[in-house]
Each structure stands twice: as structure tokens, then as C-alpha cells.
Amino acid sequence: MAVSYAELRSDEEVLSMLRPYVAEWLRRKYGGKLTEPQRGAIPLVLEGKNVLISSPTGTGKTLAAFLGVIDRLFEMGERGELGDSVYAVYVSPLRALNNDIRRNLLEPLREIREIAGEMGYSLPEIRVAVRTSDTPPHEKQKMVRNPPHILITTPESIAIALVAPKFRERLRTVRWVIVDEIHELASNKRGAHLMLSIERLEELVKESGGGPLQRIGLSATIAPLDEVARFLGGYDDQGRPRPVEIVDARFAKPIDIRVLTPRVDLLRAPSEEVTEAIYRLVVDLVKNHRTTLIFTNTRSATERVVYRLKKLLEEEKIAVPEQIEAHHSSLSRDLRLDVEERLKRGELKVVVSSTSLELGIDIGYIDLVVLLGSPKSVSRLLQRVGRAGHRLHEVSRGRIIVVDRDDLVENSVLAKSAMERFIDRVKIPRKPLDVLAQHLVGMAVERRWRVEEAFRVVRRSYNFRDLTFDEFMSVLRFIAGKYGLEDEGVYGKVWLDEDEGVFGRKRKARMIYQMNVGVIPDEVKIRVITVDGKYVGDLEEEFAEILQPGDIFVLGGRTYKFLASRGLLVIVERVEGVKPTVPSWFSEMLPLSFDSALRVGRFRRLIASMIAEGRVQEAVDMLVGEYRLEEHAARMIVEYIWEQLAYAGVVPGDDLVLIEYFRGEDERGEEAWSIVFHTLYGRRANDALSRAYASVLSRMLGVPVRVAVSDNGFMLTVPGYVDVSEDVIRELLGSVRPENIRQILEEAVAHTELMKRRFKHVAERMFVILRRYGGHEANPERLQLNAQRLLELMLDYYPDAPVVRETFREILEDYMDIDAAAQVLRWIEEGRVKVVVKGPMEYPSPFAHGIVVRGYSDVVLMEDKRRLLAQLREKVLEVLRARGLEPPLPGEPGQRPSERLNGQSTSSRVGP
């Protein structure tokens, strides 16, 4: 079997396998007590096997990986076999983590040598060095003359090292490759890029008579482990998965996760009262713990929380402002490092972070993690909470504070799922052609290659296991300049002789590769100007790419309508009295994962069935007992789901999609039809479904269609003068199918801002447009304009070119989740998911309220949102009272809602 799960050995058995002085170091340092990942992994590393180690922060997995390697290096030193070459390569996605690792290696290496000396062994020094983009040139030159035995680097730097003529020779002796934070790399193009680099390194070592490389992967909580192991191991030349042993210690540490709900009416209480109650909860938690790490979901929220806590904690005499800091990616590197160092030294009481402290930087002692808002996946929840209780036997304690009813339902499910050890599946990119193009240029820089030989190496990588030869050749021809784009300034980077079946580098290819390697796009600011040329402010590119003509957004406290873009300019007009259609924080929000969304849907179904059966008090008791909720929170959930069931007659969940339509107003206050799809499948799947349905509906009705997307569903809005009926919705449902959704979506996104911006990123990775050339940085404005002009040309004349195909793939598969969307459509066709259409509704149903008002929780926009939510709910309650329905109080279930709703006039037909 290619993938198998390792058994844990005893401490003494593991110690007996190590060199005597290494075992003695473990006895002196840790009393000979090993952690689960160490007892599982060290023997496998010593035996030369590929290993994936998955365990939480603070369980010693880094030492588990390195100790076997160090043992073997010292053994080579004993025999005089340790030469001036690199033997182990450690790769981390974080440069900050690399310096930590070097420091954490040097001390054990020194201590082990001292113990070995006491025991009569004379051991050479094992050299360790960091090589990243921050490493000065003279340090890199020194590494060529006196190379480290253990090289610590990043995915981008190892790719450059492979083409550095002199240092490349030092890599021919590599035996071990350690990939850290593999959970972070597997889900994106950096991981695909790294694994192709490792295959190229494998080939280099093999040319020199060495290999195969021993691969060691380190991961926090991730699933499915079998697939991640295959991602780490790759395939051999015969297409067989390389064997990988899995050390599954994901649950080696105890966890304690609970959801906390402010004791106020989340719908009726004034916004300031709710905010005050949230901060009171936070202050009480901070007061009772030594060091608290607080996660928000946006950078703006991080700054806001820090500002407020500094005042509150000083007033309460809990901490002085200097003990409360922010940490997020927009801060300078020096500021972030300062916060990390002070946190390690125990000088901080509170650190508030967006996502930047999720990864494995050693941040010292944290005894509580607080999450303000949903982490959107169980994996991220476990990763964040795992930062608390850094030592092995300490409890990782996390508290999630919720701010609305949808948030409460979602987090109750995520918290229970985490306690039950459920983990979302990671989604690994398939066949990213821009990554392939970049590596083919890198391979050509190394040497002349036979086409079949290069194809074989590429296909060994997990991401490219399904790559066809035709796809491979289309990329090779493209980077060889076979598409005739010289008039557009696009020249071949390699030469290709198809008759001979060989390719190699063209002049300047090495410089282009070294200066532009990597898959992370440069951060750029988009300038916003009015139609008369007045500068308004800047937008993040991630925000600009979601805009569509007519969208309304807020910038600097004023409201603007998006008209068009030109390069790095966004052109707008000022509008008054118009509601925003895109919240300012939308692009920063984390999407709910598909797997977690399905569990939320099952939870809704469970509670709805208990209410329908009159088991209301039992539902409350179950939420308090099994979900560890406070009673007022449990009652809030039951009341919420009862309102939906009583008003609409159905509760949408994992096996039921409710589509409701009603007359209302658009953002300008003009009459409009709104169609809400309750598709609880996460925002990425809903993004794909909503755009497909909107595109088809626009063609059907001949009018523009506005789209609002959330994790729980989406809303399509059309002008009020068109006819919207159940027949129209049924026709729409039949028009989007698993077989045609990709074509519909490609047509829908082809001329959007999203396509323009993503095309530029893909074109940069494929060296079609160059960010850096001849020692100079290209003008970002000119790059975007060139990319937009090139995109128009490619769509017209070369729609099947790899640069276009990859842009579509990235948008549909990585940004959206077309696979999940197609799965939902299949479930509907098979009858596993029922579709109920209701309308025209008098008012939107309770579950639609969050979608109608952009159902994301962010305190910045809470006041208007909360007022509208309260108004909508009051309208629904009025309708229910008019029907003679009152919420059943716990302990007095009363009549079943399903019995009360007989004879309701709203249309309800089940099935597509």
C-alpha cells in the first residue's frame, strides 16, 4: 500500500535506535519522554521512509522530523563522510519561521556534540544556514564555498537555487527534504510550485547517482491525510504513488472549545449595547487569563478591537496599552517581528490578529484563544485554538464570541465538530498551467531537455498527475513563442525543436526566471478617481476584482458607483442616498468551507425535525448538553429555526434548497424582484451557482441581474417591471446543469474585473508580462494595461491558449468552487436534494434576512444592518401572530408548526 499509518513505538525502543549521544541528550533534556509524533516519526525517519507528521502546535513535530536527520548526519560525521555539501533541505512558507528554526537547531546541535565529547566521540560541526530573498549576496557566495549541511529555505528560494550554476552543484548530495506547514502549502499554487521543485531536485540527485529523496512533511490539523501524503510523496516514473507513512497525532492535545453569546437581544438591542456586551465578554476572558490571543476575520476589525481594548483594559486596571498589540499582514515586517518577540518573552497581555498568527511561528505561552466571529472551517478553528496551551499536556482552550443568529448556528456546529475531531477536506489545485510554464523555463535554464523526459518529471508531481501530453505541449509551445505574439511584446523564453523532441533556454531566460520566479502576486493599490478626474482614495486589488459596473461601495465615508476600470484606476461617480451593494470588508471575509456548510445544513434539519415533532424543550436541552451552549443561546437557536419553519413551512439545509421570491426595492429604492436561493453550501460554491444562474436569468429576461452572495445562499435582483413567477424560476433551474455550468461560468466571467486582474497574475507567472527585467521594476499601471489589452486579444483570437485556460481554471476552481457547485446540481438531479419554490412571499423568510442585508457580521456596518434585521423580523412575527401562531416556550411545546401551517396559500412544489 502506498499510504499507511505508522504505529507508535515506546520511548525506550525509539531511544535504542538513536546514536548513544543523541539518546542521552533526549534523556537529559526531556527525561527520555517523547511526544506522540516523535514516537511515531523518529523510527521511520531513521529507517529512510517518507513520512507525513500531522499534529497540533506544541507537540514537538519539528524535532520529530529533524532528530532522525541529525542522528544520521552525526553518524556520517563519525565515519568521516560529511563533506562540503547540502544533505538536508528544510522548506517553510514563512521566512520568519526559518530564522526560528535555525535558532532552535543550533542549540541542540551544540549540546549533542558536547555530550558526544563527554562519551568519547569526536564529531564534526553540522552547519545550518538560511537562504531566502532576505539573504545578502555575500552570504549566498559564502554558502557556495562552505555550504550548510542543513539548508533552511522557502519555496521560491529553492526554485532559484536549482538554477544557480554553482550552488546547484551543492544540492546533488541532498538526501532529506523536510516540508513544514504542508497544510498551508497543499491548498494553493505555492505548494504545486514547491512539489515541482522537489521533483526537479529529485532528478538532479538521481543524475548524480543518489536518491531517492526521503520526504518528511509536517502539518497541523488537516484532512484527508491519505491525499496530503500522496501530495508529499508524488509518483515514481511508472506512475505509482511513492510509499508514505503517516504519523497521525492530530489529536495529541486536549482541546476545550465553547461558543459564548452576549446576554442581550441580538436583534432588538441598540448596536452600542450589543457591542458593549461583546467587549464585556472579551474583558472578562482577558482578566482571567495570563495571555490571550484574539482572532478577528479582517484587518480593519483587528485595528478596531485593539483600539477599544486598550481603553477598556486600562480603565479596568487589567493591562496598560503597551501590553495590547495588533498583528496583521498590512503592518511592517519590523512591527510584526517586535510583537512576536514580546509575545515570546511574555510581555504582552493581549494580541489581536486577523490571520497572520495562524501559522506555526513560535509565539510562546498563550493560555486562551478568542475568536470574534466564525473561523469558517473546523480546520481553521483547530489551527487557531491550537495556538493556546503550547506545551503538550496543556489544554488548548478557545472561545468563540458570536454576534448574530446565523453566526450562533454556524459556530455551534463548528465548535462541536472540532470537539468531535471532524476536519474539512483540503482542496489541492489540479494542473495549474502557469506553475508548469514557470518550471519549464526553469528546467530549460538548467540544461537541454528531451520533451518526453521533462514530461515524465512533471507528471511525478501530485498536482500534475493527470496532465495530458497535449496539455504539456500546449504550454511548452506557448513559452516557446509559437503563438506569434511578438507584436504584443511577448517573446519566447525557450527554444523548442519538435522534430528532435528537445527544448532549451533562450538568451536572458536565466535572468527573467531568477527575477520573476514565484506564484505570489505583488500587492498593488488601485487608485479611485471620479469621472472628472478627482482622486478619491485607494482600494485593495482583491476588492477591485469583485466589482461589477453599477456596484455601490463606501470609501472614506462616502458612497460611490463603480463605472469602469483602466489599468490600476477605478473610475466612479459619487452617489447620494444609495445603499452599498458591496461591503467594504467583503473581499477580506473568509468563506465557509463546503464540508462545514453541509454540517450546518444537517444541524438545521435536526433542530427543525425536533421542533416539528413538538420536542422543543428536548432541542434546547440537547443544545445545552451536547453543544455546550448557554441556555439563552440554545433558546435563541430554537426560536430562530421555529420562526423559519412557522413562516415558510420548510427549513433549508443540506438536503433541501428553498427558493423564495418577493417584491421589494433595489439599492436606489426602485421596485425590484428578489429571488433568494437558500443554498447552504459555502460562499465559494454559492459564488459559482449564483453567477451561473444570474447569467442565464439575464438572458432569459433581457435585463441586468444583481447578485448578492453569502455562505448560506445568494440573492438575484431584477427590475420590478419584468415578470417573475414560479414557472420562470423552474425554467431557470432546468437551464443550469452539471454538464454546462463550466461553459456558462466562463462566458459570465470572461469580461469581468475578476478576469482582468486574475489574467494579469497568471500572465506574470507564465512570464508573458514581466514584473522585473534587467534590474528594473516594471510600472504596475503599465503592466495592468498591457495585461488587459493582451486579454482582449487572446479571448478574440486564442481562447484556448494556456494563459487563458489557466485564468478560467483559477477563477472557477480555486477562487470559486465549481466542483462543489456541480455536485449540488447532481444531487438535485438525483433527488438527493429537494428544491422547494415559494412565492411571491409577503416578506422574506427569517433565514433570508441575513442574505438580504448582506449576512456577514462586521461591527463597522452593524447599525444599519441591525435596524433592518429587526424590522424584517417584526414583520414576520406580525404575520405569524395574524395566523394565530406564537413561539412555543421551552417546556410548553404547544402545537406543532407543521400542523399549524396547513392551508397556507404560498405555492410549494418539491423537485426540480
Side-chain angles (χ1 to χ4, degrees), residues 439-496:
H439 274 280
L440 287 175
V441 174
M443 292 168 81
V445 170
E446 290 174 6
R447 62 177 173 87
R448 172 176 160 145
W449 285 79
R450 294 206 60 78
V451 170
E452 294 86 352
E453 180 189 18
F455 180 58
R456 172 179 54 77
V457 170
V458 168
R459 288 249 305 180
R460 294 197 309 232
S461 167
Y462 180 81
N463 302 81
F464 295 96
R465 68 197 183 284
D466 297 324
L467 185 76
T468 65
F469 188 69
D470 285 346
E471 289 168 328
F472 177 84
M473 286 304 300
S474 74
V475 174
L476 194 50
R477 290 186 188 112
F478 186 77
I479 61 171
K482 302 287 186 181
Y483 279 70
L485 297 171
E486 287 83 359
D487 289 346
E488 298 300 316
V490 180
Y491 300 95
K493 310 302 181 292
V494 305
W495 57 261
L496 169 65

Side-chain angles (χ1 to χ4, degrees), residues 346-358:
E347 296 172 6
L348 298 179
K349 183 73 174 172
V350 179
V351 174
V352 187
S353 175
S354 51
T355 58
S356 54
L357 284 179
E358 284 179 355

